[in-house]
C-alpha cells in the first residue's frame, strides 16, 4: 500500500522532463512495493526544498521539488552500496533470482 504525503502546495506548473520523471518514480515506487512484505506500507513524500545545486545562476531556481520513497523491506547490505549505482547491477545474486529486474532504477535517479 502506497501512502502519499504532500508537505507543500505544489506550483501549478514546473519545468521537467516528464517522461524521465515518470519512469524514475514508477521504478522507485515499483521496487519499493516489490521488495516490501505483502501488505506492507510504502511512504511517498513530495516536498519543496531549497535548491543546493551548484549550477550557474541563470540555471538555478531558489527551490526544487523533492520526491522521497521509503519502504520497510529487508534493506541493502552495506557491501552492496557501491555496486547498486552501476548500470545493470543489483544487490546480491539472490535479488535478481528472486525478484527479477534489470537494476536500472538507481542509475536513472
Amino acid at each position: 500500500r502506497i501512502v502519499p504525503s504532500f508537505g507543500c502546495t505544489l506550483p501549478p506548473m514546473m519545468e521537467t522532463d516528464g517522461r524521465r520523471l515518470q519512469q524514475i518514480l514508477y521504478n522507485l515506487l515499483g521496487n519499493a512495493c516489490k521488495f516490501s512484505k505483502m501488505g506492507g506500507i510504502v511512504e511517498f513524500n513530495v516536498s519543496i526544498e531549497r535548491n543546493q545545486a551548484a549550477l550557474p545562476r541563470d540555471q538555478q531556481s531558489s527551490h526544487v521539488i523533492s520526491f522521497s520513497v521509503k519502504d520497510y523491506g529487508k534493506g541493502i547490505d552495506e557491501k552492496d552500496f557501491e555496486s547498486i549505482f552501476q548500470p545493470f547491477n543489483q544487490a546480491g545474486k539472490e535479488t535478481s533470482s528472486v525478484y527479477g529486474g534489470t537494476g536500472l532504477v538507481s542509475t536513472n535517479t
Side-chain angles (χ1 to χ4, degrees):
R1 184 174 79 130
I2 297 175
V3 179
S5 169
F6 299 92
C8 59
T9 301
L10 296 174
M13 194 163 92
M14 65 183 208
E15 187 175 329
T16 185
D17 181 337
R19 204 158 68 177
R20 184 168 288 159
L21 178 60
Q22 180 181 11
Q23 177 185 9
I24 290 168
L25 292 176
Y26 179 82
N27 286 341
L28 286 171
L29 288 166
N31 280 345
C33 292
K34 179 166 59 170
F35 291 107
S36 292
K37 293 179 180 160
M38 183 66 84
I41 293 175
V42 173
E43 297 174 15
F44 175 60
N45 183 51
V46 181
S47 60
I48 294 181
E49 309 279 330
R50 286 193 89 42
N51 188 0
Q52 304 286 331
L55 296 172
R57 245 216 211 293
D58 64 329
Q59 294 178 12
Q60 276 188 1
S61 67
S62 59
H63 293 82
V64 294
I65 296 177
S66 173
F67 301 94
S68 68
V69 176
K70 182 176 181 179
D71 67 62
Y72 297 91
K74 72 175 199 162
I76 299 170
D77 286 333
E78 197 171 327
K79 67 178 176 50
D80 294 319
F81 283 178
E82 291 294 320
S83 68
I84 62 169
F85 291 100
Q86 303 301 316
F88 304 106
N89 279 328
Q90 293 181 328
K93 293 190 187 317
E94 74 281 350
T95 301
S96 59
S97 64
V98 173
Y99 297 102
T102 61
L104 282 176
V105 71
S106 56
T107 63
N108 284 331
T109 55

